[in-house]
Amino acid sequence: MDKEDVLYQHGTLALLVPGLFSGTLPVGELLKHGDYGIGSVEALDGELIVVDGKPYLAKSTGDVLEVSDDELVPFANVHYDRPTDKYDRENISQSDLEKEILANHDYHNLFFAVKITGTFKKMQTRAFIGQRPYPTLAQLADNQRTFEADNIDGTVVGYFTPELYQGIGSAGFHVHFLSDNHKFGGHILGFELAKGTVTLQTFTDLDLHLPTHDSTFRRHEFDYDGMDSAIRGAEG
Ligand SMILES: [Zn+2]
């Protein structure tokens, strides 16, 4: 097994559902496991994207900041970039591209990374607004900010989680965006790709790292009813 075969994950998406938003891993530690990835920070106060080894946070103010190594994350995925598939694609929407990827590859039971670099005719993103005390994920999602850009160059990074593992991640595609000038980004709600390069990377191993030292997580009694719809509503 090479390090590029491993998808590293800290936390699970399901623990965000009831509002366990405390940061439990420093970004500096996260970056020892990959150079591309996505996630969030404490209080879910912004959308994390790691591009070429550097972590950025898209805030609900519309600003994109570089993240320091001691910033804490409650949930994140990273991997080392080594594509297994690479091709050019023009003039396609996010939903059509995702359908095409699953139609052309028998990857629907695998964890895999998606990266798209290029020019986007339209890019629509959102960022959560951190609140204290922490609300539930559904309550937080009701109060997000959305952003739109036209004809923007940048990078899409994210993952596909098989339906079988809903709750570990968000089943289906979960992707974030960072513009080449590092001024626009966030969790992607939709895009129209004008012209770009699509890469996919399948993983043989999921390295699931849990916040075992966090007493709130250790003691929490999860309510599994409604978890699936809460994840789909906020992250789908
Ligand atoms: Zn996201």
Side-chain angles (χ1 to χ4, degrees):
M1 176 183 76
D2 297 335
K3 64 179 185 176
E4 291 87 355
D5 295 325
V6 182
L7 172 60
Y8 178 85
Q9 177 167 315
H10 175 68
T12 73
L13 211 98
L15 68 82
L16 303 180
V17 168
L20 301 184
F21 300 162
S22 291
T24 44
L25 184 78
V27 164
E29 284 299 311
L30 178 72
L31 294 180
K32 291 178 183 170
H33 300 274
D35 54 7
Y36 279 82
I38 62 173
S40 194
V41 293
E42 179 142 304
L44 265 52
D45 193 20
E47 309 285 343
L48 182 75
I49 178 166
V50 180
V51 173
D52 207 13
K54 285 220 175 80
Y56 299 88
L57 188 67
K59 304 272 292 180
S60 59
T61 54
D63 298 320
V64 176
L65 316 169
E66 264 201 64
V67 180
S68 68
D69 277 357
D70 54 2
E71 184 93 37
L72 297 171
V73 301
F75 176 78
N77 288 98
V78 290
H79 70 283
Y80 285 105
D81 187 44
R82 187 182 63 187
T84 40
D85 304 275
K86 183 173 183 173
Y87 57 95
D88 293 332
R89 197 66 176 84
E90 284 180 20
N91 299 321
I92 189 164
S93 70
Q94 180 188 11
S95 60
D96 286 348
L97 180 63
E98 290 176 353
K99 276 184 212 136
E100 185 182 90
I101 288 169
L102 292 175
N104 290 347
H105 303 86
D106 53 353
Y107 288 175
H108 63 280
N109 292 323
L110 309 181
F111 285 92
F112 64 92
V114 185
K115 179 158 69 88
I116 309 164
T117 51
T119 304
F120 297 82
K121 215 180 308 173
K122 277 215 178 309
M123 177 59 68
Q124 195 193 12
T125 64
R126 72 103 197 273
F128 284 144
I129 307 165
Q131 300 169 39
R132 287 169 204 271
Y134 300 148
T136 65
L137 185 64
Q139 287 163 345
L140 194 75
D142 280 345
N143 197 24
Q144 63 193 20
R145 291 258 155 74
T146 60
F147 304 97
E148 238 180 78
D150 295 328
N151 302 313
I152 189 163
D153 293 336
T155 303
V156 170
V157 177
Y159 300 95
F160 178 83
T161 297
E163 199 69 41
L164 187 60
Y165 304 107
Q166 170 74 317
I168 294 177
S170 171
F173 289 90
H174 177 190
V175 285
H176 288 189
F177 179 73
L178 180 70
S179 65
D180 283 351
N181 65 10
H182 302 165
K183 288 191 168 151
F184 181 92
H187 172 103
I188 294 174
L189 298 176
F191 63 69
E192 293 280 337
L193 175 65
K195 191 175 178 24
T197 302
V198 178
T199 66
L200 309 176
Q201 181 170 344
T202 57
F203 302 108
T204 58
D205 290 63
L206 173 68
D207 183 357
L208 183 61
H209 180 260
L210 295 169
T212 50
H213 57 282
D214 183 73
S215 62
T216 310
F217 171 62
R218 289 170 71 124
R219 290 183 193 145
H220 191 80
E221 299 291 343
F222 285 92
D223 174 6
Y224 297 98
D225 292 341
M227 189 167 274
D228 179 65
S229 61
I231 292 171
R232 281 178 213 281
E235 298 289 347

